[in-house]
């Protein structure tokens, strides 16, 4: 059974960088499909941020393209989100997820709440 | 970006009642490969989202068959035939035909 778990700081100051880790168990990052970061803003709005796929290629939401980077470490079975120059508008719950683009057998992590505040 | 408009934003139902949620897309979601990548998710309170339906009408493994999906092109519907207490939460449609992947605005289901 694939499981994902996000980790990272819950509070980040404006203009700083946000870095989160998604730890995967029960699977490998190279076996197939996409590994995404998605965030849910206060209220119900959800935004797909980007993915790294099983080959290591990345695809980002154009709304974030200049600020986002997704990388991975296949040996520790983790992938990472790095978001530069955060503002209060980046306050959200951040989720990592598997196979969001593939649909079937989609798996989400539990989410980590990140607040951007001075 | 594809805009998915969900209605209603809030739904109140009694146990056993059947309800429907609409998801309308600003563009056709029929892909060039013949599939339509429109999925439905449920986020229960305090939990992460879970997949209910993929590719319009396919029930994800382990999901009760009171959930069903239908539609084509730009018009899609999720139906719950006989709401149960565990169905409360926020329902999202999500499309993966056109990049970037986008979500509907959500429909909150409350149990009366």
């Amino acid at each position: 059974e694939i499981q994902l778990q996000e980790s990272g700081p819950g509070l980040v100051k404006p203009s700083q960088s946000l870095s989160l880790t998604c730890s995967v168990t029960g699977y490998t990052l190279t076996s197939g499909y996409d590994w995404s970061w998605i965030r849910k803003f206060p209220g119900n709005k959800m935004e797909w941020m980007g993915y790294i796929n099983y080959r290591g290629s990345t695809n980002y939401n154009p709304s974030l393209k200049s600020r986002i980077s997704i990388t991975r470490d296949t040996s520790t079975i983790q992938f990472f989100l790095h978001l530069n120059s955060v503002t209060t508008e980046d306050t959200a719950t951040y989720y990592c997820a598997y196979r969001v683009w593939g649909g079937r057998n989609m798996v989400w992590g539990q989410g980590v709440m990140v607040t951007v505040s001075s | 970006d594809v805009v998915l408009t969900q209605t209603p934003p809030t739904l109140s139902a009694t146990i056993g009642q059947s309800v429907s949620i609409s998801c309308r897309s600003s563009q056709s979601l029929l892909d060039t490969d013949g599939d339509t990548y429109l999925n439905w998710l449920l986020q229960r309170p305090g939990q992460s989202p879970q997949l209910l339906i993929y590719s319009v009408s396919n029930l994800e493994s382990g999901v009760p068959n009171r959930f069903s999906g239908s539609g084509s092109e730009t018009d899609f519907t999720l139906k719950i035939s006989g709401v149960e207490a565990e169905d409360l939460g926020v329902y999202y449609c999500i499309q993966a035909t056109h990049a970037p992947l986008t979500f509907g605005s959500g429909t909150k289901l409350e149990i009366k």
Side-chain angles (χ1 to χ4, degrees), chain A residues 25-78:
Chain A
T25 56
Y27 212 56
T28 69
L29 299 180
T30 56
S31 295
Y33 298 102
D34 54 280
W35 304 88
S36 286
W37 286 97
I38 294 157
R39 59 184 178 176
K40 182 176 180 179
F41 297 100
N44 284 339
K45 184 183 174 185
M46 294 271 237
E47 180 182 57
W48 171 77
M49 301 179 72
Y51 71 62
I52 186 163
N53 70 11
Y54 67 101
R55 293 175 296 187
S57 300
T58 54
N59 187 7
Y60 302 131
N61 192 318
S63 68
L64 297 167
K65 206 156 192 177
S66 61
R67 296 200 292 137
I68 189 174
S69 175
I70 297 176
T71 58
R72 69 180 184 178
D73 184 333
T74 56
S75 63
T76 59
I77 323 178
Q78 295 176 317

Side-chain angles (χ1 to χ4, degrees), chain B residues 86-105:
Chain B
E86 65 180 19
D87 299 337
L88 73 93
V90 181
Y91 291 78
Y92 294 94
C93 53
I94 169 177
Q95 71 81 25
T97 297
H98 303 287
L101 183 150
T102 52
F103 293 80
S105 46

Side-chain angles (χ1 to χ4, degrees), chain A residues 44-47 100 106 108, chain B residues 2-8 21-26 29 37-43 49-53 56 70 74-78 90-96 101-107:
Chain A
N44 284 339
K45 184 183 174 185
M46 294 271 237
E47 180 182 57
V100 173
M106 189 187 300
W108 292 60
Chain B
V2 172
V3 175
L4 299 177
T5 303
Q6 277 185 245
T7 55
I21 299 169
S22 170
C23 177
R24 289 195 168 154
S25 173
S26 60
L29 298 183
Y37 297 100
L38 186 284
N39 307 323
W40 289 94
L41 310 179
L42 164 60
Q43 185 169 30
Q50 68 165 109
L51 180 67
L52 299 175
I53 302 282
V56 180
S70 62
T74 60
D75 231 317
F76 304 93
T77 301
L78 174 72
V90 181
Y91 291 78
Y92 294 94
C93 53
I94 169 177
Q95 71 81 25
L101 183 150
T102 52
F103 293 80
S105 46
T107 295

